[in-house]
């Protein structure tokens, strides 16, 4: 029974850890998507600024182009981080799901063992009752003689 209870606690802990990892992944994805959106907005704004200032100054065009390139590189870097984070989170989730399956399997095995032991105990109790009845019958026969 203690083993089953321990397995159940382990199972609950794995489930909690899996939910925590899923939430952490969702939060990370949301943060990265917000950063990408912000960078894309900044990139679009930088493009508009470059068009408006295009005739005014070649120097400003160069600076805006450099800023756009930097923002594009940053957006790409964040996209790559997002992909890597998703991959890592999926691997963690897969691992936790596997551990959860193993824990459930062990819990089921322990449940089977407990049922077998209960059956054996019931058989011993029945045998003890039969022995007590036989002893009572022998005692009655002995008393009758």
């Amino acid at each position: 029974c203690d083993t089953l209870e321990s397995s159940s606690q382990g199972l609950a802990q794995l489930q909690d850890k899996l939910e925590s990892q899923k939430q952490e992944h969702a939060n990370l994805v949301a943060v990265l998507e917000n950063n990408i959106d912000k960078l894309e907005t900044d990139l679009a704004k930088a493009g508009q600024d470059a068009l408006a200032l295009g005739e005014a100054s070649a120097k400003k065009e160069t600076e805006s182009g450099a800023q756009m390139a930097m923002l594009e590189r940053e957006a790409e870097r964040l996209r790559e981080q997002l992909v890597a984070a998703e991959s890592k989170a999926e691997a963690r989730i897969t691992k936790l799901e596997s551990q959860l399956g193993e824990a459930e399997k062990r819990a089921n095995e322990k449940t089977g063992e407990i049922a077998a032991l209960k059956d054996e105990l019931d058989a011993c109790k029945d045998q003890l009752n039969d022995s007590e009845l036989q002893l009572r019958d022998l005692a009655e026969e002995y008393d009758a003689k």
Side-chain angles (χ1 to χ4, degrees):
C1 287
D2 289 345
T3 303
L4 180 58
E5 191 172 299
S6 175
S7 293
S8 295
Q9 289 174 349
L11 185 59
Q13 289 173 347
L14 283 173
Q15 288 172 331
D16 289 346
K17 190 173 181 180
L18 177 60
E19 288 304 316
S20 173
Q21 290 294 323
K22 284 181 180 179
Q23 185 60 45
E24 180 181 332
H25 173 256
N27 291 344
L28 180 59
V29 168
V31 167
L32 290 173
E33 286 175 346
N34 286 341
N35 286 343
I36 288 171
D37 289 345
K38 182 183 181 301
L39 286 172
E40 288 174 345
T41 300
D42 290 346
L43 182 60
K45 184 180 183 308
Q48 291 170 354
D49 291 345
L51 290 175
L53 298 175
E55 293 180 353
S57 168
K59 182 179 179 183
K60 288 288 182 183
E61 276 185 40
T62 303
E63 289 174 5
S64 294
Q67 183 182 12
M68 285 176 54
M70 181 192 71
L71 290 172
E72 287 172 350
R73 286 190 304 272
E74 183 66 12
E76 185 59 31
R77 186 184 65 79
L78 287 174
R79 280 187 198 97
E80 289 171 1
Q81 280 183 349
L82 176 61
V83 168
E86 284 177 342
S87 176
K88 185 177 178 182
E90 287 171 4
R92 281 189 271 175
I93 288 168
T94 300
K95 181 180 177 185
L96 288 171
E97 286 172 341
S98 174
Q99 289 175 343
L100 179 61
E102 287 296 318
E104 287 173 343
K105 181 180 173 185
R106 286 192 303 274
N108 289 337
E109 289 171 357
K110 294 299 178 187
T111 300
E113 290 175 20
I114 290 169
L117 289 172
K118 284 182 180 179
D119 291 345
E120 187 177 335
L121 177 61
D122 290 341
C124 288
K125 286 179 181 179
D126 291 344
Q127 187 178 8
L128 179 61
N129 287 335
D130 290 345
S131 295
E132 287 176 350
L133 289 174
Q134 289 175 353
L135 183 60
R136 202 173 297 139
D137 290 344
L138 288 173
E140 287 175 6
E141 282 181 32
Y142 179 76
D143 288 342
K145 289 182 181 181

